[in-house]
Amino acid sequence: MKTRPFQQVDVFTAVPYRGNPLAVVLDGTDLDDAELQRFAQWTNLSETTFLLPPTDPAADYRVRIFTPGSELPFAGHPTIGSCHAWLRAGGKPKSAGRIVQQSAVGLVPIRRDGERLAFAAPPVKRSAPSPSVLARVAAALGLKAAQIRGAQMLDNGPVWMGLLLDDVDTVLALKPDHRALKELRQKVGVAAVPNATQEAPALIGRSNREARAFGARAQPSAVGLEVRAFAAPIGVEEDPVTGSFNASIAQWLIADGYMPERYVAGQGQCMGRDGRVHIERDADGQVWVGGDAVTCIEGSVHL
């Protein structure tokens, strides 16, 4: 065993204990996969990361991301939290104002705006879900077909089934059957626009013209999108604030006209959290996913 620097960081919040916690081991060298997975299972957080020297000369550092049950190629709150911890520990980026994180999906640019960090969302692959799987997921969530306004399979490393629902109250009232979702091996994220009109018909798949019309009628508040994410297949029944899902659903909803190019997503209400995810699509079409982070625990671990 070796003494290694450690931080526990709260992500997508500037207020400690209101976001999504992340365990960060700042020196993951000389640990094998079984040791990494065992420690991640022990922390029992949605994700634990291990920082390593980069193998790509363009990167500032490398990260490996683990849930209690498996390794992930990419995840959003570990990206921001790991970068926050690396900077706090004295990390110096090769380019001022821009950090490059190496993960299993490749190089992920991260930009700084004061204390807030934002990562460039990896491109998302979109497809229509299988009708039979969608029906089983809806049943596991207790949803009626009329409450689902859109559905997509979203793959940006992690694969999520994304559901756009009719109303924020529907999102907040969900009581999923997590065992059923685990048996389906399906991570599911749900979202709704506050004060969205109830006039649009429920559907799965919508033309861009209809989608833009729906988006124009929506009147978002300070929080433009309310989000929840369920990930029982990887050992996390509900994730407090989810960067990867917000990154992928943002690309879908902006492209199809449901959401403007800049908005704030709220997540975590049902878990006593108050996460804020800042979404922006720039002039080049790149979606950036930003948030604050704060260190809550700092010290060392024997690992």
Side-chain angles (χ1 to χ4, degrees):
M1 280 191 162
K2 177 179 172 182
T3 300
R4 303 169 191 268
F6 173 85
Q7 292 182 39
Q8 190 158 310
V9 178
D10 210 10
V11 184
F12 293 122
T13 180
V15 181
Y17 317 115
R18 298 302 302 275
N20 195 354
L22 173 74
V24 184
V25 177
L26 288 109
D27 175 12
T29 56
D30 305 319
L31 293 170
D32 63 29
D33 289 2
E35 290 171 312
L36 299 176
Q37 186 63 73
R38 188 179 306 115
F39 185 74
Q41 184 181 37
W42 179 81
T43 69
N44 202 33
L45 297 177
S46 58
E47 279 101 1
T48 298
T49 64
F50 302 87
L51 304 192
L52 298 154
T55 57
D56 188 315
D60 291 299
Y61 62 90
R62 182 164 64 98
V63 65
R64 293 186 68 181
I65 305 167
F66 285 79
T67 73
S70 63
E71 184 172 8
L72 296 178
F74 168 77
H77 104 273
T79 295
I80 287 179
S82 296
C83 184
H84 169 88
W86 181 78
L87 291 168
R88 183 178 175 87
K92 301 294 183 185
K94 295 173 182 177
S95 300
R98 183 176 183 269
I99 303 98
V100 179
Q101 177 177 284
Q102 181 184 359
S103 67
V105 295
L107 300 180
V108 179
I110 303 169
R111 65 186 188 186
R112 298 179 74 175
D113 181 8
E115 293 300 313
R116 183 170 297 157
L117 299 169
F119 64 85
V124 65
K125 299 175 184 176
R126 293 170 47 188
S127 60
S130 157
S132 61
V133 174
L134 177 56
R136 294 172 69 188
V137 166
L141 294 175
L143 287 170
K144 299 176 181 178
Q147 294 174 298
I148 302 174
R149 300 199 177 279
Q152 291 275 279
M153 297 304 301
L154 304 168
D155 180 354
N156 61 0
V159 179
W160 293 89
M161 178 184 286
L163 302 179
L164 181 64
L165 303 185
D166 61 339
D167 188 79
V168 168
D169 289 342
T170 304
V171 169
L172 298 179
L174 290 177
K175 297 184 185 298
D177 181 341
H178 296 291
R179 179 177 293 181
L181 292 177
K182 185 174 183 178
E183 289 173 354
L184 286 167
R185 299 181 181 178
Q186 185 62 67
K187 295 190 296 181
V188 182
V190 299
V193 180
N195 303 317
T197 180
Q198 301 298 309
E199 296 175 3
L203 51 82
I204 295 171
R206 172 198 302 269
S207 73
N208 285 349
R209 179 182 60 79
E210 290 171 323
R212 291 190 180 95
F214 175 83
R217 289 196 297 270
Q219 300 295 322
S221 60
V223 170
L225 194 71
E226 193 68 42
V227 174
R228 293 178 73 184
F230 309 112
I234 60 170
V236 181
E237 289 190 349
E238 181 165 1
D239 196 37
V241 200
T242 316
S244 64
F245 177 63
N246 274 287
S248 59
I249 197 173
Q251 292 175 76
W252 165 31
L253 298 183
I254 293 173
D256 283 7
Y258 288 98
M259 295 300 295
E261 293 190 332
R262 187 171 185 171
Y263 68 87
V264 178
Q267 190 177 347
Q269 279 195 53
C270 295
M271 303 180 70
R273 312 294 175 84
D274 191 27
R276 293 291 183 269
V277 182
H278 298 260
I279 300 293
E280 179 183 355
R281 186 170 71 175
D282 65 22
D284 296 324
Q286 173 65 58
V287 170
W288 293 85
V289 180
D292 297 300
V294 57
T295 298
C296 298
I297 300 171
E298 192 165 17
S300 59
V301 293
H302 301 291
L303 185 62

